Amino acid sequence: MRFRLRPAILLGVVLAGVAEVALPLSRGLASGLREGETSSATVRREGGAVFLSPAQGARRYHEFYFTRAAYSSSARSRFGFFGGRGAASWAIDYPKADRQFMVVLNRLIDIDASPYENAIRLDDPDVRRFPFLYALEVGGMTLTDGEVQGLKNYLAAGGFLVIDDFWGLDEWSVFERQIGRVLPGRPIYEIPTTHPVFNNVYDVANVIQVPNVRRGQMHGLYGTPTHEGRGSEMPHVYGIDDDRGELMVLINWNTDLGDAWEWAENPYYPLKFSTYAFEMGINMIVYAMSH
Amino acid sequence: MESIFEFLFKYRPVLFQEGDIALRNPWPTLVLVVGGLTAAAIVVLGYLQPRGRATVFDRVVMTALRTGALTVAMFCLLQPTLVLRSVVPQRNFVGVLIDDSKSMSLSRRGGEQGSAFVTERLSADGGLVEELSERFTIRMFSFSSTAGRVDDPATLTFAGTRTDLAGALDHVREDLSAVPLSGIVVVTDGADNGGRVLSESLVPLQAASIPVFTVGLGDEALVPDVQLDRVQVPASVLLGSAVMVDVVVAQRGYEGRSVTLEVEDDGRILARQDVELGKDGEPVVARVRFTADRVGPRRISFRIPISEGERVVGNNRRQITMEVRRTREKILYFEGEPRFEVKFLRRAVQADDNVQVVVLQRTAPDKFLRLDVDDADELAGGFPRSREELFRYRGLIIGSVEAGFFTHDQLTMIQDFVSQRGGGLLTLGGRNAFAEGGYVGTPVADVLPIVMDKSDDGPSPRAIALSVAPTPAGTFHPATQLAGSEESLEQVWERLPPVTTLNNVTAVKPGATALLTGRSTGEPATEHVVLAWQRFGRGKAFSLPIQDSWLWQMHADVPLEDQSHERFWQQLLRGLVDGVPDPVAVTLDRERSDPGEVVRVTALVHDSTYIELNDASVVAKLISPVGEERQMPLQWTVEEDGSYAGSFVPAQEGTWQVAVTAVRDGAEIGADNGWLRVEPGDDEFFDAGRHSALLERLAEATGGRAYTSDNVGDLPEDLQFTGGGVTMIEERDLWDMPVLFFLMVGLIGGEWAFRRQRGLV
């Protein structure tokens, strides 16, 4: 039984929810993961539970943690003036997008999701406690051998990886080379919209291009293009299957779901992009938890 | 002791038990009274007169001794007699039942066999028969699986493969019902493996006052010997299932030794296990595991090699028929929220062709995700609302979904799914499961094997990390068998990472079994139930109050090639649906029969909602080992709803298929198969020692006596006085009993000795 997310409902949910996280984040309470840190939030893990620091007000157990892959990269954030953090590329939109998405996720579906961010390095064995992994800005990804092995084992054990927010052929070729080190010889194919990942909760009939916040606002105000230059005009959703024929890596190319989650409360950012990003994000998570 | 009694009292005790003592008294009463009083007066006056040196004490003692002697003499003059009911010679019949089974030919201590006793003592010129023939007309019968007349016991072959004592007693009673029957003599080792209730056959014998006299042959214990006492195997399993079998091994004379138990299927060794034998006479339970890897009715042999000097070699092997099915069993997994358990459970059983897990996952209120359904209509309305819809599944898994989601009817339906349909229920842990999900006091709570206890953590239950280990019972349960060839079970469970529970489950219900427990890793360490199960009605219920068993697959401590998670779920789900009945379920009263034995087929017939049907048309197709088919209609038994039965006699040796089909209103309700192995059995070699207790109980219950080959000589006389039939009164003198003579001599001699001692002579 699938349904379409009504933009009006979504707007209400998003505005009510993001106020909880947007304000403190804008004051710079959260920080990115630095070298030497394992995770920004995790203090203790036992069994499947993550025991977070009481200062963060975390619950003691959650079924789902929106886990962000912290990987090595050569590039720095291209939009430093938005976050102003100068963080590594994996930390773009972090942690506001994560928290904002989790607030919406918890309100839209029956899921026990941690409302906090959870970033972890690919070469940390603890990554295997989180079967859903989100990585973005992979156009500058330069994985170490340890990270390659960590991600390889993670996927072989049953983990699910979502890639987001990388544009154009140059960044594609960088990512293709890196993922080729992890999953050598595995074909990358375009996922048809008839695939369950497009309709297990919400019916997503078409893949649309979700722009970053700046281009999104411009598009909303003046109707300017949403892509980021030559070679990034068309959005695609690609996939890599495991040995059983199940999808294990989902690649959002020429689109930026993370920005849509992060700026969903921005009145100048068009709602249709946030709607698509939340629908697709929820579909990806439910798919990863059931397939 | 009995011979001393007979010497003193002239007759054996049994005659006194059966007869009455009476005084014939040939004297007129007046003469008796006057004579008695006169004698007493003479004694009293003679001794109590103060004479000589005798003191009062001396006179009292002497008076008592003399009076005693006079009393004995008077008693003899009254002519005491033993009044007995004795059978009239040659007017009565005695049925002699001779065990013709294989166990009678086993060698006894000192080389004597039961069969030798029969041929020597029960032949026409044998002493026992000769004595019996003087008093009775003898009718001889032999019995093993069936009973029949026999003229000469010397012609018996002792080749019977079963001993049906109850059936034999019924046969003799009915055969001799028209003649005066004094009793039945049963010559046997007492091994009764006919499968019938002996006490039911005793009631008519007691009603007709027919005593049974048993002659127990052989040694009570055969030493030394090893015996496969009992083997329990499920009647049917899915292809590829791990089968755990309890084998009870009994022994005498091999204490402390180790033997090898082998499991074999059609010449292939499936498993081998060393068994440490316990103390003499104390059976040990060996648990052996093998994989059912071939489809069809399998003849599985369990065997222990013959040890040196064993008295019985035929009891070292047992054969069991087990049907291995290649079917796809449907299990409904209803999950109340997106959870990784769904993904990893599906992944674990994906390679198992025999299990189909249909997932219904609630993603939002009234919104469901359906996975692996057969068609667009399946579960289109969410969780089943009718029995028919739910009962099409053989297993049901309920994840983290609150009790309030279900209607009361649905909760009752889930209970019926287990108790009436016979399905398997598995409840998983989670924030909305068990007490935390509001299941206390619901119909589902009755089904669960665990005691629900809500934690006091408020709306957000506390997560407890648990290190899991199998319980002693879990060590031998198929679901927990994760060990490969290189590791022990304990080692595997020890290296698996901890999991968490949100449900405070620390106890199982009485009658339920905990298979896995978890010790909390924090302080103070507490013990929690991780996997438990129990039978409930026709079905079974498992509880697994954890929510992240997927860590056994995903965790970094688990090697990628490790199959523990897959194995755990495949075995658990197979266990969930193993033995779940279909609408039509066939049972045979035995899995092996001798050629020519009557075999009863029973079919339980239900409709699709598992309500018993009494108006179905049920037919059994009997397919012989060479493929010949014969139809046999089964009739409603009347005693039980939905139960249909019929009997047939298989003649041909080999494996028979009994294919039962039930039809109602022209539509087939269901079908099921039963399997029967027809061959001479080896039941006779098991428990082949003399069963004295059974034989004594049989004799005592009917008023007869139990004998062994040592005292069987008393049988003819006992039978004469204790048997029924045409009888007459017989009186036997007791005045000349040696004991009276000794008593009188003793009293008189005592008086004389007393006088001497006191100086009164």
Side-chain angles (χ1 to χ4, degrees), chain B residues 162-305:
Chain B
R162 205 187 289 275
T163 307
D164 183 5
L165 188 51
L169 288 170
D170 285 346
H171 181 88
V172 173
R173 182 177 48 77
E174 286 163 15
D175 194 284
L176 301 179
S177 59
V179 298
L181 185 60
S182 283
I184 298 173
V185 177
V186 181
V187 182
T188 178
D189 52 18
D192 179 29
N193 49 35
R196 296 171 56 174
V197 182
L198 188 59
S199 57
E200 287 177 8
S201 296
L202 297 185
V203 175
L205 292 172
Q206 289 164 329
S209 298
I210 302 172
V212 176
F213 298 83
T214 59
V215 181
L217 302 178
D219 301 332
E220 286 212 12
L222 298 166
V223 183
D225 185 43
V226 177
Q227 170 173 305
L228 277 183
D229 241 8
R230 199 172 63 244
V231 178
Q232 282 185 321
V233 173
S236 118
V237 296
L238 283 173
L239 178 65
S241 290
V243 184
M244 290 295 296
V245 182
D246 280 0
V247 182
V248 182
V249 183
Q251 60 82 29
R252 278 181 193 278
Y254 294 113
E255 182 175 331
R257 279 207 210 173
S258 176
V259 293
T260 304
L261 172 65
E262 289 177 340
V263 185
E264 197 181 283
D265 174 13
D266 202 14
R268 290 179 311 125
I269 300 290
L270 298 180
R272 242 191 208 107
Q273 182 161 323
D274 289 338
V275 182
E276 296 288 333
L277 299 176
K279 291 183 179 171
D280 264 5
E282 284 184 15
V284 293
V285 179
R287 271 135 183 159
V288 61
R289 173 180 184 264
F290 63 91
T291 304
D293 58 356
R294 288 195 182 172
V295 178
R298 310 305 310 172
R299 193 76 178 151
I300 309 289
S301 297
F302 298 83
R303 197 179 55 203
I304 286 179

Side-chain angles (χ1 to χ4, degrees), chain B residues 133-448:
Chain B
S133 300
E134 286 171 8
R135 299 170 168 93
F136 306 97
T137 306
I138 307 290
R139 290 284 178 269
M140 288 216 184
F141 299 81
S142 69
F143 75 102
S144 53
S145 55
T146 54
R149 286 276 187 97
V150 60
D151 295 326
D152 183 5
T155 61
L156 295 179
T157 57
F158 303 100
T161 54
R162 205 187 289 275
T163 307
D164 183 5
L165 188 51
L169 288 170
D170 285 346
H171 181 88
V172 173
R173 182 177 48 77
E174 286 163 15
D175 194 284
L176 301 179
S177 59
V179 298
L181 185 60
S182 283
I184 298 173
V185 177
V186 181
V187 182
T188 178
D189 52 18
D192 179 29
N193 49 35
R196 296 171 56 174
V197 182
L198 188 59
S199 57
E200 287 177 8
S201 296
L202 297 185
V203 175
L205 292 172
Q206 289 164 329
S209 298
I210 302 172
V212 176
F213 298 83
T214 59
V215 181
L217 302 178
D219 301 332
E220 286 212 12
L222 298 166
V223 183
D225 185 43
V226 177
Q227 170 173 305
L228 277 183
D229 241 8
R230 199 172 63 244
V231 178
Q232 282 185 321
V233 173
S236 118
V237 296
L238 283 173
L239 178 65
S241 290
V243 184
M244 290 295 296
V245 182
D246 280 0
V247 182
V248 182
V249 183
Q251 60 82 29
R252 278 181 193 278
Y254 294 113
E255 182 175 331
R257 279 207 210 173
S258 176
V259 293
T260 304
L261 172 65
E262 289 177 340
V263 185
E264 197 181 283
D265 174 13
D266 202 14
R268 290 179 311 125
I269 300 290
L270 298 180
R272 242 191 208 107
Q273 182 161 323
D274 289 338
V275 182
E276 296 288 333
L277 299 176
K279 291 183 179 171
D280 264 5
E282 284 184 15
V284 293
V285 179
R287 271 135 183 159
V288 61
R289 173 180 184 264
F290 63 91
T291 304
D293 58 356
R294 288 195 182 172
V295 178
R298 310 305 310 172
R299 193 76 178 151
I300 309 289
S301 297
F302 298 83
R303 197 179 55 203
I304 286 179
I306 295 157
S307 302
E308 195 186 333
E310 264 196 80
R311 295 280 299 278
V312 186
V313 296
N315 60 5
N316 289 37
R317 192 179 75 140
R318 280 199 184 267
Q319 289 193 302
I320 305 286
T321 302
M322 181 177 78
E323 186 181 7
V324 182
R325 291 174 291 120
R326 190 206 295 272
T327 53
R328 200 160 160 77
E329 309 282 26
K330 274 181 92 168
I331 297 172
L332 171 60
Y333 176 11
F334 181 40
E335 184 53 78
E337 58 188 281
R339 293 213 301 172
F340 285 113
E341 280 294 70
V342 176
K343 170 191 178 133
F344 285 95
L345 186 155
R346 293 182 68 220
R347 186 186 156 99
V349 300
Q350 197 177 30
D352 192 338
D353 294 333
N354 300 114
V355 173
Q356 178 187 357
V357 178
V358 177
V359 174
L360 179 70
Q361 186 173 34
R362 183 176 58 178
T363 53
D366 295 327
K367 302 194 187 328
F368 301 97
L369 174 65
R370 295 177 296 156
L371 300 170
D372 291 331
V373 290
D374 286 338
D375 54 56
D377 294 333
E378 186 171 359
L379 301 170
F383 190 80
R385 292 183 180 279
S386 69
R387 290 164 65 99
E388 196 168 8
E389 197 184 354
L390 179 63
F391 289 7
R392 75 173 60 158
Y393 300 98
R394 298 171 76 88
L396 173 63
I397 307 171
I398 297 179
S400 179
V401 51
E402 69 284 0
F405 168 85
F406 300 104
T407 64
H408 185 76
D409 282 351
Q410 283 175 317
L411 290 169
T412 307
M413 208 163 71
I414 293 170
Q415 189 188 68
D416 292 347
F417 175 82
V418 182
S419 63
Q420 291 180 17
R421 191 254 181 272
L425 173 69
L426 170 63
T427 43
L428 307 180
R431 59 175 176 157
N432 289 322
F434 302 109
E436 287 71 17
Y439 281 92
V440 175
T442 65
V444 173
D446 297 339
V447 185
L448 302 183

Side-chain angles (χ1 to χ4, degrees), chain A residues 135-281:
Chain A
L136 82 175
E137 286 280 356
V138 293
M141 183 186 253
T142 50
L143 296 176
T144 64
D145 288 345
E147 289 169 337
V148 168
Q149 195 57 46
L151 184 56
K152 192 176 193 169
N153 292 347
Y154 174 85
L155 294 171
F160 190 84
L161 174 66
V162 171
I163 303 291
D164 186 30
D165 191 14
F166 71 116
W167 302 76
L169 289 169
D170 289 347
E171 292 190 1
W172 173 266
S173 61
V174 171
F175 168 71
E176 195 176 30
R177 198 163 48 249
Q178 294 299 316
I179 201 71
R181 294 172 63 202
V182 177
L183 302 169
R186 241 172 236 279
I188 301 175
Y189 66 96
E190 179 127 30
I191 304 173
T193 52
T194 51
H195 191 278
V197 79
F198 284 102
N199 52 40
N200 61 49
V201 180
Y202 298 108
D203 271 327
V204 175
N206 299 301
V207 175
I208 66 171
Q209 189 163 61
V210 179
N212 64 35
V213 63
R214 185 171 58 85
R215 288 180 190 277
Q217 289 179 123
M218 299 290 279
H219 176 79
L221 292 171
Y222 312 113
T224 54
T226 53
H227 63 83
E228 299 193 1
R230 206 154 55 90
S232 66
E233 294 87 350
M234 286 298 295
H236 294 275
V237 178
Y238 289 113
I240 302 174
D241 285 350
D242 64 12
D243 291 338
R244 305 157 191 246
E246 292 284 358
L247 186 64
M248 67 174 163
V249 181
L250 186 143
I251 305 155
N252 294 289
W253 183 44
N254 293 339
T255 190
D256 186 356
L257 304 183
D259 255 25
W261 299 333
E262 185 180 9
W263 301 107
E265 86 288 5
N266 185 334
Y268 300 106
Y269 190 80
L271 190 61
K272 66 174 180 180
F273 297 131
S274 305
T275 304
Y276 172 83
F278 282 124
E279 286 183 348
M280 200 58 206

Side-chain angles (χ1 to χ4, degrees), chain A residues 94-169:
Chain A
Y94 178 84
K96 186 186 166 198
D98 309 38
R99 291 195 183 184
Q100 204 146 289
F101 181 31
M102 287 304 98
V103 168
V104 175
L105 179 76
N106 271 320
R107 293 199 176 186
L108 288 179
I109 64 170
D110 279 348
I111 191 169
D112 175 25
S114 165
Y116 295 93
E117 68 281 3
N118 183 44
I120 189 160
R121 295 177 64 96
L122 286 175
D123 55 3
D124 184 341
D126 265 354
V127 74
R128 300 265 290 272
R129 293 175 184 273
F130 306 100
F132 178 91
L133 205 53
Y134 175 76
L136 82 175
E137 286 280 356
V138 293
M141 183 186 253
T142 50
L143 296 176
T144 64
D145 288 345
E147 289 169 337
V148 168
Q149 195 57 46
L151 184 56
K152 192 176 193 169
N153 292 347
Y154 174 85
L155 294 171
F160 190 84
L161 174 66
V162 171
I163 303 291
D164 186 30
D165 191 14
F166 71 116
W167 302 76
L169 289 169

